[in-house]
Amino acid sequence: MTDLPDPAPSRAGRRTPGRPDASMTLIRAMLERPLDPGYAAAADRREAAGLPRATTLRSPLLAGAVLVIGLVVGVAASNLTAADSPRAAARADLIQQITARRTQVDRLSAQAQTLQADLTAREASRLGDQGELARGRSLAIAVGALPMEGPGMTVTLDDAPDADQATGTDAGEKRVFSRDVQIVVNALWQAGAEAISINGMRLTSLSEIRFAGSAIVVGHRALNRPYVVTALGPPRDLPGDFADGPGGTYISTLHSTFGIRADTEVSQRLTVPAASRLTTRYAQPMDTGSPGTPSPSATTSTETGGSAS
């Protein structure tokens, strides 16, 4: 019996091997046909008209456009960064004016303090009675009309070293605010300070410590950091009472939590200047008992141009 060959396999049972990249149709189309059909059609039309299929960067029009754009951008950048530009000149002029006015204010403030001290001394010299003289001096010290010198301590507050690099809420928390200075000053009064000044500005019962923009203002005058708070008081009690009280705890928290500089230093000789802008608002003569010789003492109220902090 002759063996018959195996029948040919049916078509339904055969599989045509597919391409390995059959699932990457989009990538294959980009590689095999990188030119968009619309651009290809436009290139064919240019070729049929006897023109090159595409323009090149050597086209005079394109080169001229690139040159003009580069020239405009270069001139604009030069104007913005030039040291002698109108904007830079205006900024330099403003800085110069601010510096000049600040120097003038410092000079006039020092002159006002000197005149205030001279006026207080002349008023005291008019008092013949030693009791009235002592009372007038104590009142002048209380209102800040006389400069004071003696032992005490200084508290220096300044922004954290990385405050300028901080962003978001961290930037605000690493800077010294007016409330920080207020808390320190009130704690010094509570600890027994007899006279306090901030960066040379004497504080009185009517002095204000407030925030205006990014500056701390005392008596309508903006202060520059660091903020040095000078307090006169008993050298044995003032530093310890301040450190053990709310002031010491507060500046310790500022330094440990936010990195704010908070340094304290005790000294045996510190100076607090007299307050400026002291103005008598009302006065009346006092009867000393001597007929026809009213005392020049007066019940006065002084002002420094602000509200209590």
Side-chain angles (χ1 to χ4, degrees):
M1 183 174 183
T2 305
D3 294 332
L4 298 176
D6 295 332
S10 62
R11 297 178 61 88
R14 299 177 59 185
R15 289 186 177 180
T16 303
R19 297 184 55 167
D21 56 353
S23 61
M24 298 182 289
T25 307
L26 179 59
I27 298 177
R28 190 174 69 247
M30 294 176 62
L31 294 176
E32 296 176 353
R33 193 177 56 185
L35 187 62
D36 185 87
Y39 288 106
D44 294 339
R45 289 195 299 269
R46 288 178 59 87
E47 187 176 12
L51 299 175
R53 291 182 60 85
T55 59
T56 64
L57 296 178
R58 297 179 180 179
S59 173
L61 182 60
L62 181 60
V66 171
L67 181 62
V68 171
I69 293 175
L71 182 62
V72 171
V73 173
V75 171
S78 177
N79 290 336
L80 290 176
T81 58
D84 56 347
S85 63
R87 181 178 180 181
R91 184 175 183 273
D93 183 63
L94 288 176
I95 293 176
Q96 184 178 4
Q97 291 184 25
I98 292 173
T99 303
R101 296 295 187 273
R102 184 170 295 170
T103 303
Q104 183 180 12
V105 169
D106 293 340
R107 179 177 56 82
L108 292 177
S109 298
Q111 183 180 0
Q113 292 175 356
T114 303
L115 293 175
Q116 181 67 45
D118 181 66
L119 176 62
T120 304
R122 290 177 180 273
E123 290 178 347
S125 65
R126 298 281 296 175
L127 300 175
D129 186 79
Q130 292 296 326
E132 291 295 333
L133 180 61
R135 180 174 180 271
R137 181 174 178 81
S138 63
L139 289 176
I141 293 175
V143 300
L146 289 178
M148 297 184 65
E149 180 179 323
M153 62 180 297
T154 59
V155 181
T156 303
L157 300 176
D158 198 0
D159 298 345
D162 57 344
D164 295 334
Q165 289 75 30
T167 57
T169 57
D170 292 340
E173 293 176 348
K174 293 181 178 294
R175 300 188 182 277
V176 179
F177 292 118
S178 59
R179 65 173 179 268
D180 302 326
V181 181
Q182 290 175 2
I183 292 174
V184 170
V185 168
N186 290 333
L188 287 170
W189 287 124
Q190 183 179 353
E194 300 174 2
I196 298 178
S197 67
I198 304 176
N199 287 17
M201 294 290 295
R202 177 74 172 271
L203 299 183
T204 67
S205 59
L206 297 179
S207 297
E208 60 180 3
I209 302 173
R210 61 186 180 87
F211 210 59
S214 59
I216 295 179
V217 178
V218 177
H220 301 285
R221 181 178 175 184
L223 304 181
N224 296 324
R225 44 180 286 260
Y227 309 103
V228 181
V229 184
T230 303
L232 303 184
R236 296 183 178 179
D237 301 331
L238 178 61
D241 292 344
F242 176 79
D244 296 337
T249 303
Y250 189 79
I251 64 174
S252 177
T253 302
L254 288 179
H255 179 70
S256 59
T257 305
F258 307 110
I260 292 177
R261 175 187 172 190
D263 300 330
T264 60
E265 182 180 356
V266 180
S267 178
Q268 294 299 320
R269 186 174 181 181
L270 294 173
T271 302
V272 172
S276 58
R277 300 184 61 186
L278 292 174
T279 305
T280 301
R281 299 176 59 183
Y282 58 89
Q284 66 182 30
M286 294 181 61
D287 187 6
T288 61
S290 300
T293 57
S295 170
S297 300
T299 302
T300 62
S301 173
T302 59
E303 62 177 355
T304 57
S307 59
S309 59

